[in-house]
Amino acid sequence: MFAFVVALALSAPVALAEEEAMKNLTTVTWAHAVNNKTYLEAALASELSMLEADVVLGHITGKDGPPIPIMAHPPATTSDLSLGDFLTGVAQYNNVNAKQKGVKLDFKSIEAFEKAQDIIAPFSKPEVTFPLWLNADILPGPIKATTKPVDAEKFIQLASKHPRAVLSIGWTTNYGGNITEGEYSREQIGSMLRLVNEHNVNQTVTFPVRAGLASNSQPVLLDLVRETSSLNSSITVWSSEGDNVEVDRLRALILTMGLEKTYLDVPHELAAKLHLPPPTNTKN
Ligand SMILES: *[C@@H]1O[C@H](CO)[C@@H](O)[C@H](O)[C@H]1NC(C)=O
Ligand SMILES: *[C@@H]1O[C@H](CO)[C@@H](O)[C@H](O)[C@H]1NC(C)=O
Ligand SMILES: *[C@@H]1O[C@H](CO)[C@@H](O)[C@H](O)[C@H]1NC(C)=O
Ligand SMILES: *[C@@H]1O[C@H](CO)[C@@H](O)[C@H](O)[C@H]1NC(C)=O
Ligand SMILES: *[C@@H]1O[C@H](CO)[C@@H](O)[C@H](O)[C@H]1NC(C)=O
């Protein structure tokens, strides 16, 4: 009995430390716009853990025929990389490497997502285990953003056919340049919550939020994540190069939300300024 207690006391701190490391979502690192073959190869060869890439309808350079889902950022409609080849490439890498790379597919239109269904399906089966995120801006957001959002209802409905995929749903934004101040309104957050509830979303959810705006929206974002906690919800803080961001406010948001509920996808310069607290020393 005594020996048993001692063994427990010795192993507990190690287990705790491992668990804490796993729960620090800010340790996840990102490659962006992995929209061509050369960069896909480079990203797979890198230490980065998540590959973010954009999906539009278009053509493989030099090929005709009906438009297909390709990796490209608007306004581009051609690429040397199709969605199918992108996913196959990542899956092949993951088959022979212990450290899995995940993908975040940013769908730029509902048509691209509709046409992508059969292409995604083999990779959203339960036996495939690498992280698969399906992302779109599905609601109009700050500040009076005029970009047309991706059809919210259709996106959620189609995404539910891929239950193992993480649903990454956010707002269009208009920020940066001479727009340096703003926030997510209670109405914008409420619209998202209503969508999630009305469509009985039952898969893991993350809400991408733009750092400069999110840092001024702490109370409503805490509400959003609390109200969706049964979906293991999180926020994914992202930022564009040059966005005005109040670093202290962003730090406060991340620490109040918790490192276990906050993915961080911001430029290195901003991440370094945050000085996130290191793991607590479990040895005392
Ligand atoms: C490939 O993608 C990377 C990252 O988006 C970009 O920097 C590079 O210019 C692209 N190369 C070509 C040939 O399009
Ligand atoms: C912001 O910049 C845009 C384009 O550069 C300009 O049209 C607009 O008037 C500016 N707005 C303000 C408030 O300065
Ligand atoms: C999750 O939702 C989908 C679509 O609404 C439904 O088909 C599925 O049965 C639900 N799964 C669970 C485990 O509730
Ligand atoms: C949330 O996490 C729990 C524990 O890991 C898991 O059993 C459950 O299926 C998850 N639910 C969602 C919607 O992610
Ligand atoms: C969380 O991860 C960040 C980024 O890797 C690191 O700077 C920080 O020290 C970590 N904190 C904890 C508590 O794990």
Side-chain angles (χ1 to χ4, degrees), residues 119-257:
I119 302 169
I120 303 168
F123 304 95
S124 67
K125 291 188 300 194
E127 56 268 34
V128 182
T129 55
F130 66 81
L132 172 63
W133 291 22
L134 304 174
N135 177 85
D137 296 340
I138 61 169
L139 286 173
I143 299 162
K144 298 192 170 91
T146 52
T147 315
K148 186 172 158 247
V150 170
D151 187 304
E153 316 219 327
K154 281 190 189 158
F155 189 79
I156 291 177
Q157 253 160 32
L158 289 172
S160 74
K161 311 259 191 276
H162 310 282
R164 85 159 191 96
V166 171
L167 188 57
S168 174
I169 41 180
W171 300 257
T172 58
T173 54
N174 176 31
Y175 193 69
N178 55 11
I179 305 178
T180 56
E181 255 181 74
E183 62 187 357
Y184 290 90
S185 69
R186 195 161 277 285
E187 288 70 31
Q188 287 159 347
I189 299 292
S191 301
M192 184 64 84
L193 204 47
R194 260 195 312 282
L195 271 175
V196 169
N197 288 333
E198 282 169 7
H199 291 271
N200 300 313
V201 168
N202 59 12
Q203 65 203 105
T204 311
V205 170
T206 190
F207 302 104
V209 289
R210 196 162 181 167
L213 299 162
S215 55
N216 294 328
S217 318
Q218 191 187 120
V220 288
L221 290 176
L222 290 174
D223 283 352
L224 176 66
V225 168
R226 191 179 45 243
E227 305 250 345
T228 51
S229 60
S230 65
L231 306 176
N232 302 331
S233 57
S234 60
I235 55 171
T236 301
V237 176
W238 63 276
S239 187
S240 284
E241 209 72 57
D243 276 11
N244 180 54
V245 179
E246 296 290 333
V247 175
D248 291 341
R249 282 169 164 262
L250 180 58
R251 187 172 194 277
L253 168 67
I254 295 171
L255 295 183
T256 312
M257 184 70 74

Side-chain angles (χ1 to χ4, degrees), residues 23-26 233-234 254 256-263:
K23 280 187 182 162
N24 181 355
L25 303 184
T26 72
S233 57
S234 60
I254 295 171
T256 312
M257 184 70 74
L259 295 173
E260 76 287 2
K261 293 202 186 77
T262 310
Y263 291 95

Side-chain angles (χ1 to χ4, degrees), residues 17 20-29 255 259 264 271 275-280:
E20 250 169 51
M22 270 173 58
K23 280 187 182 162
N24 181 355
L25 303 184
T26 72
T27 60
V28 172
T29 50
L255 295 183
L259 295 173
L264 188 63
H275 298 294
L276 295 176
T280 43

